[in-house]
Amino acid sequence: MKYSIHIFSAHVINQQAWDACVSKHSNGLIYAQYDYLDRICDHWSGLVIGDYEAIIPLPWRRKYGFRYYYIPPFIQQLGFIGDTSLLNFLHEELVQKIRSYAWYGDLHFNFSNHLLASELHCKNRTNFIIDLNKDYLDIYKDYHPDLKQVLLKIQEGGFQYSKQQSISGTIRNYQQQYASRMPHLSIEHFERLHDLCRFYASRGDCIIRSAMKPDGTILSDTLLLKDQRRMYHLLNTTFPEGRETHSNPWLLDQIFREYSNRNLLFDFEGSDLPGVKTFYKKFGGHVQPYFHYRRNIWH
């Protein structure tokens, strides 16, 4: 069967058809929803296959008049969304379209895009996921022994599990603790993030949880976004006292208690930073790589 392949600017994309494709397919992650892209990206276009049978979001910017791809803040992986069997006979044309649309830059392709990743000579990036659709004790038994020891040493009542923190407060905590490590993130990026989280909160899909001292002092907090398949570990902040008292592993463990037996995957938004990678690995999750495409202007 012959499929048309076109790249459209965001403003002419059929949002309903686009989001229906994202919702229908297991490789349609929250980052690819129209409203998510539109709130976070500087600019983006969409590669559309047929009548939205499959799609590829393409975030871009311009420099010296040339379009280039970039990886927007707070978007982990995009890539081909749809039935991956289509890639068996479309991958060469898709690769040509992707290469011709921008002169250079970076894109992240999602976990299901092995064939495109091979064609584009992508590098693997690490992500961890945990299946929450089981009893909490079945989740706990996969924890690393070191993590179990840490959790056992935390006295009952030492922390309080809170659901009361605000979006603005959680984002502000993250900025205060980590902004100096991320100079590429501007005030505007965080303003866009705030708008994004307010949007998902209006749909009941923004979740904030905190580990607090009995006096109400926040030691760790996390902001999660949710769709029908996954919870996304978007922001996680731990204050110095929280690091000393292991509040963050306790907080994540409490989240797994709360959301066990739900038909959801917990997506750590994993990291290749050695310390973060080791920490996430201790929760016993499944490694689900995604792929980093980088195009040099000369190739």
Side-chain angles (χ1 to χ4, degrees):
M1 183 176 180
K2 180 68 175 175
Y3 287 90
S4 62
I5 302 176
H6 299 288
I7 296 179
F8 298 115
S9 297
H11 70 278
V12 299
I13 284 172
N14 181 329
Q15 180 175 352
Q16 185 176 3
W18 179 275
D19 283 341
C21 181
V22 174
S23 178
K24 179 180 179 181
H25 298 283
S26 61
N27 53 8
L29 304 179
I30 196 170
Y31 319 105
Q33 292 178 5
Y34 188 98
D35 284 298
Y36 200 115
L37 292 164
D38 227 39
R39 283 170 164 79
I40 291 295
C41 297
D42 289 2
H43 308 282
W44 69 280
S45 299
L47 187 153
V48 176
I49 299 168
D51 188 19
Y52 292 86
E53 276 88 1
I55 58 174
I56 302 178
L58 299 171
W60 57 271
R61 291 170 169 162
R62 283 193 189 276
K63 189 172 185 178
Y64 305 127
F66 296 110
R67 184 189 294 118
Y68 69 96
Y69 295 125
Y70 83 110
I71 298 168
F74 314 113
I75 292 182
Q76 187 197 62
Q77 45 183 305
L78 294 170
F80 177 93
I81 295 161
D83 183 349
T84 53
S85 67
L86 293 175
L87 291 174
N88 293 330
F89 56 92
L90 291 177
H91 64 274
E92 291 182 0
E93 191 171 354
L94 293 177
V95 165
Q96 190 272 331
K97 288 276 189 183
I98 291 167
R99 284 179 170 160
S100 64
Y101 191 65
W103 276 56
Y104 65 100
D106 298 82
L107 294 171
H108 279 166
F109 290 89
N110 69 59
F111 62 91
S112 74
N113 289 188
H114 299 274
L115 184 53
L116 273 182
S118 175
E119 290 285 328
L120 290 165
H121 307 291
C122 296
K123 292 184 178 180
N124 284 18
R125 297 293 184 225
T126 304
N127 191 24
F128 295 93
I129 57 172
I130 287 179
D131 184 1
L132 298 177
N133 195 19
K134 50 189 174 182
D135 290 339
Y136 164 72
L137 290 178
D138 289 326
I139 297 172
Y140 177 84
K141 72 178 177 58
D142 290 332
Y143 289 1
H144 190 279
D146 290 350
L147 176 59
K148 291 179 180 178
Q149 283 294 110
V150 166
L151 294 172
L152 287 171
K153 289 178 181 177
I154 296 172
Q155 295 182 355
E156 187 172 348
F159 301 133
Q160 293 179 351
Y161 185 55
S162 172
K163 305 177 183 180
Q164 304 303 315
Q165 183 76 347
S166 68
I167 291 171
S168 57
T170 305
I171 294 174
R172 185 169 58 250
N173 289 343
Y174 186 83
Q175 286 179 273
Q176 289 173 350
Q177 289 298 302
Y178 304 130
S180 62
R181 305 181 196 175
M182 298 177 290
H184 61 288
L185 294 181
S186 66
I187 295 298
E188 182 182 356
H189 289 135
F190 284 106
E191 289 173 347
R192 292 184 191 179
L193 176 64
H194 194 277
D195 177 57
L196 178 81
C197 292
R198 282 202 313 258
F199 170 76
Y200 280 97
S202 72
R203 309 196 320 187
D205 291 332
C206 180
I207 299 156
I208 297 173
R209 298 292 183 263
S210 305
M212 305 172 70
K213 293 170 64 175
D215 67 4
T217 303
I218 294 174
L219 299 172
S220 297
D221 60 22
T222 189
L223 186 150
L224 306 148
L225 297 182
K226 185 174 73 67
D227 59 20
Q228 74 270 34
R229 284 185 288 265
R230 296 190 180 213
M231 299 177 68
Y232 301 83
H233 190 224
L234 197 67
L235 297 183
N236 188 201
T237 304
T238 299
F239 290 93
E241 186 177 356
R243 282 192 287 275
E244 294 173 6
T245 55
H246 303 292
S247 61
N248 202 42
W250 181 88
L251 174 59
L252 288 169
D253 179 63
Q254 293 298 309
I255 292 170
F256 299 149
R257 286 177 186 266
E258 180 183 356
Y259 285 93
S260 60
N261 293 306
R262 309 279 185 99
N263 189 23
L264 290 168
L265 297 175
F266 186 91
D267 189 322
F268 277 98
E269 291 204 327
S271 174
D272 285 297
L273 294 172
V276 179
K277 185 176 180 178
T278 299
F279 175 63
Y280 290 163
K281 191 175 181 180
K282 288 182 178 180
F283 288 91
H286 170 67
V287 177
Q288 188 183 66
Y290 61 105
F291 309 101
H292 181 188
Y293 166 61
R294 169 165 289 172
R295 187 182 183 198
N296 188 298
I297 194 168
W298 307 117
H299 295 90

